[in-house]
Amino acid sequence: MSVRRSVIAGTGGYLPERVVTNEELARRVDTSDEWIVARTGIRQRHVAAKDELTSDLALHAAEAALVAAGRRAGEIDGILLATTTPDLTFPASATRVQAELGMTRGFAFDLQAVCSGFIFALAQADALIRSGMSERLLVIGAETFSRILDWEDRTTCVLFGDGAGAVVLEAGEGAGTPADRGVLSARLHSDGRQAELLKTDGGPSSTGTVGKVRMLGREVFRHAVTNLATVMEETLADVGVSTDEIDWVIPHQANRRILDGTARKLGIDPGRVIVTVDRHANTSAASVPLALDVAVRDGRVAPGNLLLLEAMGGGFTWGACLVRM
Ligand code: ACO
């Protein structure tokens, strides 16, 4: 039986030039490199220049993904940009990326699921392609989280960074088995009852401001490992594969301890988990596609590999995608 699949044809990533080390942060707030590394695994993060917008980061990542896929912008049917930090309240930053790429057809829109944004966008793009509505899409996660951090708050400002990652997702054919290339399963969840644990304290309709990130870190941590392990198991059960068959886990890069805790809970060898949190920190919606791009470019992720992508973020939102490259 032939089934329509959506296949990752190329990946791209972009990090702003400026690197902020833990030592530099320790000069601004009451923290230390030792505390940050021990509690999070983070050693540094990239921070966008003043005139560098989320759409600029997204554009760089999208261009790199197009090159990797051997495609031109004119061959793209649409752009899904996952971001919590758009250039403006509207229009969607995706439309600026569309214009900058020189695209005059197709659609472009932003999608907001905070740190899970890329997983939600990938699931959405997969559905658009499998339904036959689209042939080829750009799926991007891009953030300038540095703009919504309270740089006086040591409990949040040490955790985040800026960046962008992108994939070109295109239609392919499979046999309807786990050996197929493409997105094999996608599972999404939200629980709005937990909104207070991780949010901004402002927004267009409430305060008329952007707001700053506020988080009860210990509570978020507690939910993260459980929710992520559960949703990962759901995708594996959908496809009928075991954890032993996963070549690489590409997790949202929030905290090294969450990565290790989740892998341990599922009995996955930590050596099979792609880790970039030490260099990128938490880049929210950008973290999964950035980590994927790093691992594709350094040769760890190879064609045919089975990948488990997962993320959790504010809302709460969480999800996972099982993908064969
Ligand atoms: N430097 C030094 N001390 C600090 C800092 C800091 N940057 N931040 C907090 N502390 C202090 C606290 O004030 C507290 O002091 P106290 O005991 O005197 O009150 C102490 O360190 C311990 O604080 P906890 O919050 O209990 O520390 P914890 O071990 O939970 O680590 C952390 C905090 C790193 C935020 C952790 O809870 C975490 O990673 N949570 C997950 C949150 C997350 O990653 N969110 C991102 C989005 S959601 C997601 O992606 C999953």
Side-chain angles (χ1 to χ4, degrees):
M1 185 186 65
S2 170
V3 297
R4 191 170 162 92
R5 297 281 195 194
S6 63
V7 175
I8 294 180
T11 68
Y14 177 77
L15 290 159
E17 210 175 293
R18 179 160 145 66
V19 171
V20 175
T21 61
N22 292 346
E23 286 82 3
E24 186 176 340
L25 284 181
R27 292 196 288 273
R28 286 198 220 171
V29 289
D30 183 14
T31 190
S32 65
D33 179 50
E34 295 71 33
W35 192 96
I36 301 170
V37 172
R39 299 290 178 125
T40 71
I42 298 166
R43 296 182 181 278
Q44 62 171 51
R45 69 285 295 141
H46 291 251
V47 172
K50 267 203 177 73
D51 59 352
E52 217 173 9
L53 307 181
T54 292
S55 62
D56 294 318
L57 275 52
L59 179 64
H60 288 306
E63 286 172 336
L66 283 169
V67 170
R71 295 291 177 187
R72 288 172 293 105
E75 296 175 279
I76 299 294
D77 298 328
I79 300 175
L80 289 75
L81 170 55
T83 187
T84 310
T85 47
D87 300 357
L88 301 168
T89 301
F90 80 87
S93 300
T95 59
R96 177 157 185 262
V97 175
Q98 183 193 27
E100 292 290 323
L101 284 174
M103 283 170 61
T104 52
R105 65 174 199 92
F107 58 83
F109 66 94
D110 290 359
L111 186 151
Q112 217 278 61
V114 208
C115 299
S116 314
F118 181 79
I119 298 292
F120 278 54
L122 189 64
Q124 182 75 47
D126 171 53
L128 287 168
I129 287 175
R130 281 190 300 103
S131 74
M133 197 169 157
S134 304
E135 284 296 317
R136 187 171 297 112
L137 300 168
L138 258 172
V139 189
I140 312 170
E143 302 276 17
T144 48
F145 239 67
S146 60
R147 305 274 156 74
I148 58 167
L149 293 176
D150 174 353
W151 287 98
E152 310 276 298
D153 176 8
R154 69 175 183 173
T155 68
T156 51
C157 77
V158 303
L159 301 175
F160 296 92
D162 299 337
V167 302
V168 172
L169 197 69
E170 60 186 31
E173 291 294 320
T177 74
D180 289 352
R181 284 190 71 206
V183 178
L184 302 176
S185 167
R187 288 278 191 141
L188 308 178
H189 295 277
S190 308
D191 182 358
R193 293 171 303 174
Q194 312 294 349
E196 289 302 310
L197 299 180
L198 178 52
K199 62 171 194 174
T200 58
D201 57 9
S205 161
S206 54
T207 57
T209 63
V210 173
K212 300 290 183 201
V213 176
R214 303 295 170 205
M215 177 172 68
L216 296 173
R218 193 177 288 185
E219 286 300 304
V220 175
F221 193 108
R222 201 168 56 78
H223 285 88
V225 174
T226 312
N227 288 347
L228 288 170
T230 306
V231 76
M232 287 159 80
E233 279 171 340
E234 286 172 5
T235 59
L236 294 172
D238 282 345
V239 182
V241 294
S242 70
T243 48
D244 299 343
E245 294 170 75
I246 301 168
D247 292 296
W248 295 104
V249 179
I250 319 274
H252 170 47
Q253 308 285 322
N255 182 320
R256 181 73 204 238
R257 285 156 58 214
I258 296 178
L259 270 56
D260 291 344
T262 310
R264 214 177 303 121
K265 207 168 161 107
L266 288 181
I268 294 171
D269 171 8
R272 290 273 165 213
V273 180
I274 302 295
V275 179
T276 54
V277 68
D278 53 333
R279 289 159 289 149
H280 300 175
N282 180 348
T283 56
S284 184
S287 92
V288 170
L290 255 175
L292 173 62
D293 184 58
V294 165
V296 166
R297 282 172 199 272
D298 69 19
R300 278 179 291 176
V301 166
N305 278 179
L306 186 62
L307 312 182
L308 183 48
L309 281 49
E310 48 92 334
M312 169 168 158
F316 289 147
T317 56
W318 66 102
C321 293
L322 197 62
V323 182
R324 191 174 297 281
M325 292 298 281

